[in-house]
Amino acid sequence: MVMEFRQLRYFIAVAEEGHITRAAERLDMQQPPLSRQIKAIEDELQVQLFHRRARGVELTDAGHTFLDEARAVLAGLRHAFDATQSRARGELGRITVGFMPSGPFHPFVPLAVRRFRESYPLVSVSIEERFSTEMLDRVRDEQLDVAFVRTSRVDPEHLVITPLLDESMVVAVPAGHELVRRKGEKALSMKQLAGEPFILFGPPGTGMYDATIAACGAAGFSPRIGQHVPGITSCFGLVAAGLGIALLPASMQRTLMEGVVYRNIRGPVIPTTRLSLAARRGDRSIVVRNFLKLVREAAKGFAPA
């Protein structure tokens, strides 16, 4: 005979109550069937688990050992049930999230990740920082699960790119530049920037590179590219050094650097850049689905300070 989990429950109840009748009442069953089950367990193990006393039963040494093991087996079974159900609900697992270089500077991105971690504390979250175009490739190739991106590129066959928030752009200008020396002028038009050297970062196809080209084109000119740098930190350094200006998301104004001044952009059409969330089309991971749902809902109610 193969012992069943219910028999372990019967044995534990008798051991804890020290009495067959009380254990039967606890288990909502009759005393004779419970006595037969205990006898069947002893017969299978070929050991005596209880001393029968006038006022109940008492565990033998072998019974004490079996009680410890039975409790451990049932605890392990409960853990297996709980872990399986938690994973099915997406409460266990892991997710790898990609950020574009400007992502951490936008208050929504760390907010969304923090809310996910608070809602699903047992899910392991890994972070990678890459350019948007590279992240889209990594999401498609299953090296990333989701990615916050700024890009106009779409991949309708493999990816779902969900728009989250549109953000105005500002211009970073070297301190002391004639564009910012005029007192009281807190905003510049795109036409005022037409003759300036632009510092671009990231390869073509990335959000800020394409957004800069598009903003200048909408204003009627092609930007004069002074420098093309690989990362956003280099961009700040070159602006501070007086080597050019740069269009940036408004959230980047949180980055204070000596020698860099920010100005809003005025005009009939204010250039914007879009923050989106990329994921694989048809991804079956419950963890990923939970992340997507939480981020989309958070974006609906997000109001930047």
Side-chain angles (χ1 to χ4, degrees), residues 182-203:
R182 303 171 187 172
K183 293 183 179 180
E185 190 168 21
K186 298 299 182 181
L188 301 171
S189 69
M190 285 298 299
K191 291 186 179 299
Q192 288 178 275
L193 310 179
E196 301 296 327
F198 280 77
I199 298 170
L200 300 180
F201 64 93

Side-chain angles (χ1 to χ4, degrees), residues 176-242:
H177 192 288
E178 61 180 354
L179 288 173
V180 296
R181 283 204 300 263
R182 303 171 187 172
K183 293 183 179 180
E185 190 168 21
K186 298 299 182 181
L188 301 171
S189 69
M190 285 298 299
K191 291 186 179 299
Q192 288 178 275
L193 310 179
E196 301 296 327
F198 280 77
I199 298 170
L200 300 180
F201 64 93
T206 54
M208 293 313 305
Y209 186 104
D210 289 355
T212 298
I213 300 297
C216 294
F221 67 93
S222 295
R224 180 161 67 90
I225 300 176
Q227 301 283 337
H228 188 187
V229 295
I232 197 164
T233 53
S234 301
C235 178
F236 286 122
L238 294 183
V239 172

Side-chain angles (χ1 to χ4, degrees), residues 36 55 77 88 127 138 175 240 255 279:
R36 289 195 293 270
R55 296 186 176 181
L77 181 62
I127 302 296
R138 291 178 68 81
T255 305

Side-chain angles (χ1 to χ4, degrees), residues 88-210:
R89 294 190 296 264
E91 297 170 353
L92 282 176
R94 64 185 304 274
I95 187 170
T96 305
V97 182
F99 286 170
M100 68 289 189
S102 64
F105 296 95
H106 195 297
F108 176 76
V109 176
L111 170 68
V113 174
R114 183 170 65 251
R115 285 188 181 177
F116 180 79
R117 287 179 55 81
E118 292 170 350
S119 299
Y120 301 94
L122 298 181
V123 175
S124 174
V125 180
S126 301
I127 302 296
E128 287 190 19
E129 180 181 310
R130 297 177 184 271
F131 286 116
S132 294
T133 49
E134 187 178 3
M135 285 196 297
L136 293 179
D137 292 337
R138 291 178 68 81
V139 171
R140 188 182 60 245
D141 295 340
E142 301 186 14
Q143 295 173 301
L144 287 173
D145 295 308
V146 295
F148 291 95
V149 297
R150 296 186 192 271
T151 182
S152 56
R153 174 182 166 186
V154 296
D155 188 347
E157 183 178 355
H158 300 100
L159 301 178
V160 176
I161 300 179
T162 303
L164 299 175
L165 300 165
D166 287 332
E167 183 179 9
S168 298
M169 297 173 71
V170 298
V171 57
V173 182
H177 192 288
E178 61 180 354
L179 288 173
V180 296
R181 283 204 300 263
R182 303 171 187 172
K183 293 183 179 180
E185 190 168 21
K186 298 299 182 181
L188 301 171
S189 69
M190 285 298 299
K191 291 186 179 299
Q192 288 178 275
L193 310 179
E196 301 296 327
F198 280 77
I199 298 170
L200 300 180
F201 64 93
T206 54
M208 293 313 305
Y209 186 104
D210 289 355

Side-chain angles (χ1 to χ4, degrees), residues 14-28:
V14 173
E16 291 178 346
E17 295 294 338
H19 199 280
I20 295 287
T21 301
R22 288 199 299 269
E25 292 174 353
R26 168 175 159 181
L27 294 166
D28 195 23

